[in-house]
Amino acid sequence: MSPTVVLTVAVAGLVAVGVYLLTSRHLSRVVLGVVVTSNGVNLLIVSAAGPAGPAPVLGVGGEVTEATLTSAADPLPQAFVLTAIVITFAVTAFGLALAYRLSRLDGDDVVRDAGPHRRERGEDEGATEGGGEP
């Protein structure tokens, strides 16, 4: 198999697993889904950037040749991915803090429906999904 096919399958697998995890009611799984989806999209950006090449830096004495310009790697996708990694780290830290706080308050990290939606279904404001006391 060619590297392009392998990267495409890897991107599709990571994004599919991430979207599946995002549909969960457990906040820790949602955070993990964000991380996995972000890694898939980062891999997509890097693989779509084109073939690898030498670093886009000036030669000795500052001269730039035509061969250097045409074969150099594009640094912009790498900068995008680096920025996305930092943003994903911040979102992950915030999501894990929310999951920890929710598990300390409710005993688990399951996200329940808001109050008005519960009233429409005839549920009590303090009721849990299992029907018992919180």
Side-chain angles (χ1 to χ4, degrees), residues 2-13:
S2 69
T4 307
V5 173
V6 173
L7 286 174
T8 305
V9 169
V11 167

Side-chain angles (χ1 to χ4, degrees), residues 18-125:
V19 169
Y20 174 75
L21 288 172
L22 282 171
T23 61
S24 176
R25 293 182 73 97
H26 294 272
L27 194 54
S28 57
R29 289 183 187 170
V30 171
V31 171
L32 188 60
V34 168
V35 171
V36 172
T37 303
S38 174
N39 285 332
V41 171
N42 289 343
L43 185 60
L44 174 68
I45 293 171
V46 168
S47 64
V57 295
L58 295 177
V60 178
E63 71 266 1
V64 178
T65 63
E66 185 67 30
T68 305
L69 288 176
T70 59
S71 65
D74 186 12
L76 192 59
Q78 297 172 13
F80 284 155
V81 169
L82 185 61
T83 304
I85 289 170
V86 172
I87 292 171
T88 301
F89 178 74
V91 169
T92 302
F94 181 69
L96 288 176
L98 286 176
Y100 176 75
R101 182 67 178 154
L102 185 62
S103 67
R104 294 288 296 198
L105 290 176
D106 290 345
D108 60 0
D109 67 342
V110 175
V111 178
R112 293 178 179 79
D113 289 340
H117 300 292
R118 284 185 176 174
R119 284 194 296 268
E120 290 174 5
R121 291 193 319 235
E123 294 181 18
D124 185 19
E125 280 289 325

